[in-house]
Amino acid sequence: MNEDDSLVSNCKCVMGNGNRIDFWEDQWTEVTSLRESFPRIFRIANRKSGKVHEFRAIVDEVWTWRIEIRRQLLAWEVNIWNEFMNVLNRATPVRDGEDRLKWLGVSDGKYTLKSYCLAVSCVGVRDDNIWKIVWSNIAPPKVEAFVWKAVLQRLPNIVKLLKR
C-alpha cells in the first residue's frame, strides 16, 4: 500500500503492550512515523527494526526507552534527540494491553464502510454554500432539482437533444 491510500492514512496504531506495532515504521505516536520524522536518529540507531516492546523497559513501573545509538550525539543533534524523546514520552499505552488500530474517520475510532466512504468522498472537496441554498427547502423539489442540474451544467440543450 502507498501513503496516498485513504484507508492507511486514516488509521493510527494505538499502543497497548507494543507487541504488534513496528517502532520505526508505524504511526503510533503524534508523528506519521518515527523513521520519517526523525531520519537523523534513525540513521545513527543501532536497531533499524523491531516492535515497540523491544525498545522499552519498565523500571519501577515507569516506562524507559532503550534506543541505542552507534556514536555520541553531535552538538546540533542534541535538540533533535530531545524532541525525539519528547515524542516517545508523550505516547502513552492504553490500559487494556493489546495493540490495535484506530480509525480516524470517526470519533469513536471504529471503522465502518459508511465512514470510509464519507472520508474518501470528502477528500479535496470544499464546502460550497450554493448547495445549502439549493437544498434549503425554500422551493419545490422540482425547482431544486432543476437548479442542481443547471449549476452542474447537466441541462439538455439543443445540441444534446439533437444527438439523442
Side-chain angles (χ1 to χ4, degrees):
M1 290 187 263
N2 60 28
E3 294 175 2
D4 296 331
D5 187 1
S6 58
L7 183 64
V8 174
S9 63
N10 281 306
C11 288
K12 180 183 179 185
C13 297
V14 177
M15 181 178 44
N17 55 17
N19 290 334
R20 291 197 246 166
I21 300 173
D22 188 293
F23 181 81
W24 292 106
E25 300 295 333
D26 289 337
Q27 181 185 356
W28 60 278
T29 62
E30 64 201 46
V31 297
T32 306
S33 77
L34 293 174
R35 180 180 182 176
E36 290 176 11
S37 299
F38 300 98
R40 189 69 175 174
I41 303 299
F42 179 75
R43 276 189 230 114
I44 63 174
N46 284 338
R47 295 189 65 202
K48 307 286 190 213
S49 65
K51 303 298 180 191
V52 171
H53 79 278
E54 299 170 25
F55 288 87
R56 67 175 170 93
I58 299 176
V59 179
D60 297 328
E61 297 184 22
V62 177
W63 283 45
T64 58
W65 295 100
R66 296 179 299 168
I67 316 307
E68 298 171 4
I69 53 177
R70 60 176 189 224
R71 62 171 173 77
Q72 289 289 330
L73 293 172
L74 301 173
W76 63 273
E77 293 172 326
V78 172
N79 288 338
I80 298 170
W81 178 264
N82 290 337
E83 180 58 28
F84 175 69
M85 293 308 291
N86 286 336
V87 166
L88 290 179
N89 290 330
R90 283 192 295 263
T92 56
V94 293
R95 298 275 178 194
D96 61 3
E98 287 296 317
D99 298 333
R100 63 179 186 271
L101 281 177
K102 178 181 180 181
W103 174 247
L104 301 176
V106 290
S107 59
D108 65 358
K110 294 187 180 182
Y111 172 84
T112 61
L113 186 57
K114 180 180 179 181
S115 66
Y116 175 74
C117 291
L118 285 172
V120 171
S121 66
C122 293
V123 172
V125 175
R126 58 183 179 84
D127 194 19
D128 197 352
N129 289 332
I130 192 158
W131 299 117
K132 290 179 183 173
I133 296 168
V134 168
W135 300 114
S136 64
N137 291 329
I138 57 174
K142 284 185 175 182
V143 175
E144 289 177 344
F146 176 80
V147 171
W148 175 57
K149 288 179 182 180
V151 170
L152 294 176
Q153 298 177 354
R154 301 285 186 209
L155 290 175
N157 57 24
I158 193 71
V159 175
K160 289 181 185 175
L161 290 173
L162 287 173
K163 285 182 184 177
R164 287 183 190 171

mmCIF file of all heavy atoms in Angstrom, residues 90-111:
data_model
loop_
_atom_site.group_PDB
_atom_site.id
_atom_site.type_symbol
_atom_site.label_atom_id
_atom_site.label_comp_id
_atom_site.label_asym_id
_atom_site.label_seq_id
_atom_site.Cartn_x
_atom_site.Cartn_y
_atom_site.Cartn_z
ATOM 1 N N ARG A 90 5.421 11.223 25.149
ATOM 2 C CA ARG A 90 4.011 11.629 25.063
ATOM 3 C C ARG A 90 3.110 10.496 24.589
ATOM 4 O O ARG A 90 1.892 10.556 24.755
ATOM 5 C CB ARG A 90 3.866 12.843 24.143
ATOM 6 C CG ARG A 90 4.304 14.142 24.795
ATOM 7 C CD ARG A 90 3.894 15.342 23.981
ATOM 8 N NE ARG A 90 4.543 15.431 22.691
ATOM 9 C CZ ARG A 90 5.621 16.156 22.425
ATOM 10 N NH1 ARG A 90 6.201 16.869 23.370
ATOM 11 N NH2 ARG A 90 6.131 16.183 21.205
ATOM 12 N N ALA A 91 3.691 9.462 24.005
ATOM 13 C CA ALA A 91 2.915 8.301 23.556
ATOM 14 C C ALA A 91 2.643 7.419 24.766
ATOM 15 O O ALA A 91 3.558 6.831 25.335
ATOM 16 C CB ALA A 91 3.682 7.534 22.490
ATOM 17 N N THR A 92 1.412 7.331 25.154
ATOM 18 C CA THR A 92 1.059 6.542 26.334
ATOM 19 C C THR A 92 0.275 5.308 25.912
ATOM 20 O O THR A 92 -0.565 5.364 25.017
ATOM 21 C CB THR A 92 0.210 7.368 27.315
ATOM 22 O OG1 THR A 92 -0.931 7.858 26.629
ATOM 23 C CG2 THR A 92 1.007 8.518 27.887
ATOM 24 N N PRO A 93 0.533 4.183 26.565
ATOM 25 C CA PRO A 93 -0.198 2.963 26.214
ATOM 26 C C PRO A 93 -1.606 2.977 26.799
ATOM 27 O O PRO A 93 -1.879 3.655 27.784
ATOM 28 C CB PRO A 93 0.642 1.856 26.862
ATOM 29 C CG PRO A 93 1.299 2.527 28.013
ATOM 30 C CD PRO A 93 1.543 3.954 27.586
ATOM 31 N N VAL A 94 -2.492 2.217 26.166
ATOM 32 C CA VAL A 94 -3.834 2.039 26.720
ATOM 33 C C VAL A 94 -3.759 0.979 27.817
ATOM 34 O O VAL A 94 -2.856 0.155 27.843
ATOM 35 C CB VAL A 94 -4.861 1.638 25.633
ATOM 36 C CG1 VAL A 94 -5.075 2.753 24.657
ATOM 37 C CG2 VAL A 94 -4.440 0.374 24.931
ATOM 38 N N ARG A 95 -4.716 0.992 28.680
ATOM 39 C CA ARG A 95 -4.679 0.116 29.858
ATOM 40 C C ARG A 95 -5.016 -1.346 29.549
ATOM 41 O O ARG A 95 -4.588 -2.228 30.249
ATOM 42 C CB ARG A 95 -5.662 0.628 30.913
ATOM 43 C CG ARG A 95 -5.323 1.999 31.408
ATOM 44 C CD ARG A 95 -4.338 1.907 32.495
ATOM 45 N NE ARG A 95 -3.973 3.252 32.932
ATOM 46 C CZ ARG A 95 -2.956 3.501 33.677
ATOM 47 N NH1 ARG A 95 -2.183 2.535 34.080
ATOM 48 N NH2 ARG A 95 -2.671 4.729 34.032
ATOM 49 N N ASP A 96 -5.814 -1.602 28.500
ATOM 50 C CA ASP A 96 -6.281 -2.970 28.287
ATOM 51 C C ASP A 96 -5.230 -3.912 27.718
ATOM 52 O O ASP A 96 -5.459 -5.095 27.630
ATOM 53 C CB ASP A 96 -7.553 -2.986 27.438
ATOM 54 C CG ASP A 96 -7.344 -2.381 26.062
ATOM 55 O OD1 ASP A 96 -6.216 -1.994 25.739
ATOM 56 O OD2 ASP A 96 -8.332 -2.306 25.314
ATOM 57 N N GLY A 97 -4.092 -3.412 27.311
ATOM 58 C CA GLY A 97 -2.984 -4.300 26.979
ATOM 59 C C GLY A 97 -2.702 -4.577 25.522
ATOM 60 O O GLY A 97 -1.550 -4.599 25.148
ATOM 61 N N GLU A 98 -3.677 -4.787 24.682
ATOM 62 C CA GLU A 98 -3.427 -5.166 23.291
ATOM 63 C C GLU A 98 -3.274 -3.947 22.383
ATOM 64 O O GLU A 98 -3.985 -2.966 22.532
ATOM 65 C CB GLU A 98 -4.565 -6.043 22.760
ATOM 66 C CG GLU A 98 -4.568 -7.441 23.303
ATOM 67 C CD GLU A 98 -3.352 -8.249 22.909
ATOM 68 O OE1 GLU A 98 -2.921 -8.189 21.735
ATOM 69 O OE2 GLU A 98 -2.812 -8.941 23.787
ATOM 70 N N ASP A 99 -2.363 -4.057 21.406
ATOM 71 C CA ASP A 99 -2.248 -3.042 20.367
ATOM 72 C C ASP A 99 -3.450 -3.164 19.439
ATOM 73 O O ASP A 99 -3.967 -4.261 19.220
ATOM 74 C CB ASP A 99 -0.977 -3.254 19.538
ATOM 75 C CG ASP A 99 0.285 -3.135 20.367
ATOM 76 O OD1 ASP A 99 0.264 -2.425 21.379
ATOM 77 O OD2 ASP A 99 1.295 -3.742 19.984
ATOM 78 N N ARG A 100 -3.880 -2.039 18.884
ATOM 79 C CA ARG A 100 -4.997 -2.097 17.943
ATOM 80 C C ARG A 100 -4.926 -0.906 16.995
ATOM 81 O O ARG A 100 -4.179 0.042 17.224
ATOM 82 C CB ARG A 100 -6.331 -2.142 18.671
ATOM 83 C CG ARG A 100 -6.641 -0.916 19.499
ATOM 84 C CD ARG A 100 -8.011 -1.060 20.153
ATOM 85 N NE ARG A 100 -8.386 0.143 20.826
ATOM 86 C CZ ARG A 100 -8.115 0.438 22.079
ATOM 87 N NH1 ARG A 100 -7.434 -0.410 22.797
ATOM 88 N NH2 ARG A 100 -8.507 1.568 22.612
ATOM 89 N N LEU A 101 -5.734 -0.963 15.960
ATOM 90 C CA LEU A 101 -5.840 0.138 15.011
ATOM 91 C C LEU A 101 -7.020 1.023 15.389
ATOM 92 O O LEU A 101 -8.059 0.530 15.820
ATOM 93 C CB LEU A 101 -6.054 -0.383 13.588
ATOM 94 C CG LEU A 101 -4.820 -0.882 12.861
ATOM 95 C CD1 LEU A 101 -5.213 -1.434 11.503
ATOM 96 C CD2 LEU A 101 -3.780 0.196 12.702
ATOM 97 N N LYS A 102 -6.843 2.310 15.181
ATOM 98 C CA LYS A 102 -7.925 3.263 15.420
ATOM 99 C C LYS A 102 -8.240 3.941 14.095
ATOM 100 O O LYS A 102 -7.346 4.408 13.399
ATOM 101 C CB LYS A 102 -7.490 4.301 16.450
ATOM 102 C CG LYS A 102 -8.538 5.348 16.723
ATOM 103 C CD LYS A 102 -8.052 6.365 17.743
ATOM 104 C CE LYS A 102 -9.133 7.402 17.996
ATOM 105 N NZ LYS A 102 -8.689 8.408 18.954
ATOM 106 N N TRP A 103 -9.495 3.963 13.740
ATOM 107 C CA TRP A 103 -9.960 4.628 12.524
ATOM 108 C C TRP A 103 -10.182 6.102 12.847
ATOM 109 O O TRP A 103 -10.979 6.440 13.717
ATOM 110 C CB TRP A 103 -11.240 3.962 12.039
ATOM 111 C CG TRP A 103 -11.881 4.642 10.889
ATOM 112 C CD1 TRP A 103 -13.075 5.287 10.890
ATOM 113 C CD2 TRP A 103 -11.385 4.756 9.559
ATOM 114 N NE1 TRP A 103 -13.343 5.784 9.656
ATOM 115 C CE2 TRP A 103 -12.329 5.484 8.808
ATOM 116 C CE3 TRP A 103 -10.227 4.327 8.917
ATOM 117 C CZ2 TRP A 103 -12.157 5.779 7.462
ATOM 118 C CZ3 TRP A 103 -10.053 4.617 7.584
ATOM 119 C CH2 TRP A 103 -11.012 5.335 6.873
ATOM 120 N N LEU A 104 -9.449 6.982 12.174
ATOM 121 C CA LEU A 104 -9.518 8.407 12.459
ATOM 122 C C LEU A 104 -10.719 9.086 11.808
ATOM 123 O O LEU A 104 -10.974 10.247 12.065
ATOM 124 C CB LEU A 104 -8.227 9.093 12.000
ATOM 125 C CG LEU A 104 -6.950 8.563 12.652
ATOM 126 C CD1 LEU A 104 -5.734 9.232 12.048
ATOM 127 C CD2 LEU A 104 -6.985 8.734 14.146
ATOM 128 N N GLY A 105 -11.458 8.354 10.994
ATOM 129 C CA GLY A 105 -12.600 8.925 10.294
ATOM 130 C C GLY A 105 -13.800 9.212 11.176
ATOM 131 O O GLY A 105 -14.698 9.946 10.772
ATOM 132 N N VAL A 106 -13.845 8.632 12.369
ATOM 133 C CA VAL A 106 -14.967 8.849 13.284
ATOM 134 C C VAL A 106 -14.432 9.060 14.696
ATOM 135 O O VAL A 106 -13.312 8.685 15.008
ATOM 136 C CB VAL A 106 -15.959 7.656 13.272
ATOM 137 C CG1 VAL A 106 -16.712 7.572 11.973
ATOM 138 C CG2 VAL A 106 -15.260 6.360 13.564
ATOM 139 N N SER A 107 -15.268 9.630 15.545
ATOM 140 C CA SER A 107 -14.805 9.975 16.891
ATOM 141 C C SER A 107 -14.591 8.752 17.784
ATOM 142 O O SER A 107 -13.721 8.767 18.642
ATOM 143 C CB SER A 107 -15.789 10.930 17.557
ATOM 144 O OG SER A 107 -17.062 10.327 17.631
ATOM 145 N N ASP A 108 -15.364 7.680 17.579
ATOM 146 C CA ASP A 108 -15.206 6.513 18.450
ATOM 147 C C ASP A 108 -14.081 5.586 18.006
ATOM 148 O O ASP A 108 -13.743 4.638 18.705
ATOM 149 C CB ASP A 108 -16.514 5.735 18.584
ATOM 150 C CG ASP A 108 -16.975 5.110 17.275
ATOM 151 O OD1 ASP A 108 -16.315 5.289 16.242
ATOM 152 O OD2 ASP A 108 -18.030 4.441 17.298
ATOM 153 N N GLY A 109 -13.486 5.832 16.821
ATOM 154 C CA GLY A 109 -12.342 5.044 16.367
ATOM 155 C C GLY A 109 -12.692 3.715 15.731
ATOM 156 O O GLY A 109 -11.808 2.951 15.369
ATOM 157 N N LYS A 110 -13.981 3.424 15.553
ATOM 158 C CA LYS A 110 -14.389 2.148 14.961
ATOM 159 C C LYS A 110 -14.670 2.332 13.475
ATOM 160 O O LYS A 110 -15.446 3.192 13.075
ATOM 161 C CB LYS A 110 -15.617 1.606 15.671
ATOM 162 C CG LYS A 110 -15.280 1.246 17.093
ATOM 163 C CD LYS A 110 -16.415 0.557 17.765
ATOM 164 C CE LYS A 110 -15.941 0.286 19.127
ATOM 165 N NZ LYS A 110 -16.455 -0.279 20.093
ATOM 166 N N TYR A 111 -14.048 1.477 12.679
ATOM 167 C CA TYR A 111 -14.182 1.550 11.230
ATOM 168 C C TYR A 111 -15.536 1.036 10.788
ATOM 169 O O TYR A 111 -16.003 -0.009 11.241
ATOM 170 C CB TYR A 111 -13.082 0.717 10.567
ATOM 171 C CG TYR A 111 -13.250 0.578 9.082
ATOM 172 C CD1 TYR A 111 -12.796 1.561 8.228
ATOM 173 C CD2 TYR A 111 -13.878 -0.536 8.534
ATOM 174 C CE1 TYR A 111 -12.956 1.447 6.864
ATOM 175 C CE2 TYR A 111 -14.043 -0.658 7.166
ATOM 176 C CZ TYR A 111 -13.578 0.337 6.334
ATOM 177 O OH TYR A 111 -13.729 0.218 4.983
#
